[in-house]
Amino acid sequence: MVEELLRSKFLGALVGTGVGDSLGAGFEGWGRVALDKIEQVAQMRKTLTYTDDTHMMIGMAESLIRSKGFDGEDMAYSFVRNYELEPWRGYGPAPPHIFRLVRNGVSWDQAAQRFYDGGSYGNGSAMRIAPIGVFYHDKLSLLREVACESSRITHAHILGKEGAVLQACAIALATNLESPSALDRGAFLAELTDFAQDDVYRQKLATIKQILDNPDESRVVIELGHGIEAFNSVPTAIYCFLSEPGSFTRAVLLAISFGGDTDTIAAMTGAISGACLGIDSIPEQWRSKLENRHYIEELANKLYDLYLDTKKLGEK
Ligand code: RVK
Ligand code: MG
Ligand code: MG
């Protein structure tokens, strides 16, 4: 793939997370929302302020860049430090407690096991995964391992880990597409199904195929979900991308229109769509209002430079 196209996809996935998250944040907990209502609200806002989804995505990118790849302890402390600086970003219930344990000396890969039954299956480890999705897009078995390890920092339940893995894989497959016209939705879903190791996700991927083949949006919330659990939101984001593969705007608006956990479903849809279509697909009127846009772009550029360096070293 041409280098500038790939760079644009790294930028698209990271900025796409931020734009989806901040646009969706105003509609959290709503029922169905009309598309023009979402656009109107976005237009009225001076700044698009992001939430924990993007804040943790930033922490993940910072750590990958600093450590030149995945380092669990460094990534955990990256999340902890960012949380301590801006605890008001709307974090889910468990992460702040986990961060306190890590700060008090509990090992990064042990703290999350203490919460819920077998760890959390919330969508918190999938919503932040864009940097891993793009950085490991051409090494899918390594991507699986790293996505899973990164999830263990806060989400140790198998369904939490598998949600992060599936979202990372969707971003990677989207990154690998030369253009949206190269997308074969059936093949994309078949690859994700091969990658998914849990029946809950395999079943939801089969439902996505059915809904795409016989369009019926009333099935989306009922059967795919719009909730805070990874299995009730990652499949919905994948559906939104596959439903509108040629338009970042339409994919993200669709994600928000389903209501529920709108910031997170839109963040994950934005990450996949941005990875497919690149940074220029994100409307300038949204991009220019995204809080910390230049810093997020700087991180995407640094991550891409690191990807190139790592690739050159591997080729020697
Ligand atoms: C506020 C039973 C479980 C569970 C288990 C449920 C931000 C709980 C972001 C829990 C995202 C919720 C969101 C969230 C991300 C998880 N048994 N119930 N084993 N595991 N749950 O606390 O980071 O918005 O109801 O890990 O995943 O925008 O409260 O948080 O929407 O999932 O929070 O799980 O949240 P947590 P998170
Ligand atoms: Mg959030
Ligand atoms: Mg959310």
Side-chain angles (χ1 to χ4, degrees):
M1 189 178 291
V2 183
E3 281 194 5
E4 281 318 297
L5 174 59
L6 193 52
R7 182 185 293 278
S8 168
K9 285 167 170 274
F10 274 57
L11 283 156
L14 270 60
V15 174
T17 301
V19 167
D21 173 22
S22 53
L23 282 178
F27 300 92
E28 236 179 314
W30 287 39
R32 284 299 301 255
V33 195
L35 301 181
D36 54 353
K37 166 87 182 162
I38 306 166
E39 277 188 297
Q40 261 172 27
V41 170
Q43 211 166 14
M44 274 156 42
R45 296 200 8 222
K46 279 214 179 75
T47 305
L48 292 176
T49 307
Y50 57 77
T51 76
D52 58 328
D53 308 47
T54 306
H55 201 209
M56 296 198 86
M57 182 280 289
I58 288 172
M60 176 172 277
E62 288 170 338
S63 174
L64 288 174
I65 293 162
R66 187 169 44 241
S67 307
K68 299 193 169 27
F70 179 71
D71 177 321
E73 185 167 343
D74 184 86
M75 192 171 284
Y77 276 99
S78 194
F79 294 151
V80 171
R81 275 193 303 274
N82 284 354
Y83 168 75
E84 287 170 349
L85 288 170
E86 296 175 353
W88 45 265
R89 291 266 179 203
Y91 279 76
H97 298 287
I98 294 169
F99 299 152
R100 257 170 242 125
L101 288 182
V102 171
R103 191 47 103 197
N104 289 329
V106 176
S107 170
W108 71 270
D109 55 354
Q110 298 296 312
Q113 289 174 23
R114 301 192 187 180
F115 294 87
Y116 308 110
D117 192 11
S120 172
Y121 53 55
N123 54 21
S125 61
M127 69 190 188
R128 66 191 185 216
I129 206 77
I132 286 177
V134 289
F135 190 68
Y136 295 100
H137 72 275
D138 53 357
K139 294 191 177 106
L140 290 188
S141 58
L142 188 55
L143 171 138
R144 159 173 280 289
E145 192 184 313
V146 170
C148 194
E149 286 295 285
S150 76
S151 181
R152 285 175 68 207
I153 299 170
T154 48
H155 293 69
H157 194 287
I158 182 69
L159 291 172
K161 290 189 286 194
E162 283 297 305
V165 165
L166 194 62
Q167 172 67 8
C169 185
I171 293 168
L173 297 182
T175 307
N176 284 324
L177 289 168
E178 282 281 346
S179 76
S181 59
L183 172 70
D184 172 338
R185 299 193 299 192
F188 191 94
L189 282 168
E191 242 187 293
L192 287 178
T193 307
D194 282 347
F195 209 69
Q197 285 184 353
D198 196 283
D199 275 348
V200 173
Y201 289 103
R202 296 169 76 92
Q203 186 56 54
K204 294 237 174 177
L205 291 166
T207 305
I208 294 176
K209 175 98 177 47
Q210 285 172 14
I211 303 177
L212 289 171
D213 288 347
N214 295 296
D216 177 2
E217 281 190 355
S218 69
R219 294 179 63 186
V220 174
V221 172
I222 297 167
E223 295 182 46
L224 299 178
H226 66 172
I228 201 171
E229 303 83 9
F231 47 86
N232 283 329
S233 47
V234 173
T236 312
I238 293 170
Y239 167 82
C240 291
F241 163 65
L242 290 177
S243 197
E244 296 287 358
S247 165
F248 179 92
T249 303
R250 287 202 300 273
V252 165
L253 291 178
L254 180 65
I256 298 169
S257 78
F258 290 121
D261 194 358
T262 44
D263 62 335
T264 301
I265 298 172
M268 296 192 293
T269 302
I272 309 171
S273 183
C276 174
L277 300 170
I279 185 73
D280 294 332
S281 69
I282 305 175
E284 183 57 29
Q285 86 255 23
W286 290 352
R287 243 198 297 167
S288 60
K289 290 199 281 191
L290 175 64
E291 185 192 9
N292 278 340
R293 165 199 177 177
H294 294 298
Y295 182 57
I296 295 170
E297 289 181 349
E298 183 188 323
L299 288 173
N301 276 313
K302 283 187 176 164
L303 195 62
Y304 181 66
D305 293 339
L306 177 64
Y307 164 80
L308 282 186
D309 288 349
T310 312
K311 198 167 172 201
K312 276 176 198 146
L313 277 177
E315 280 166 3
K316 274 187 186 154

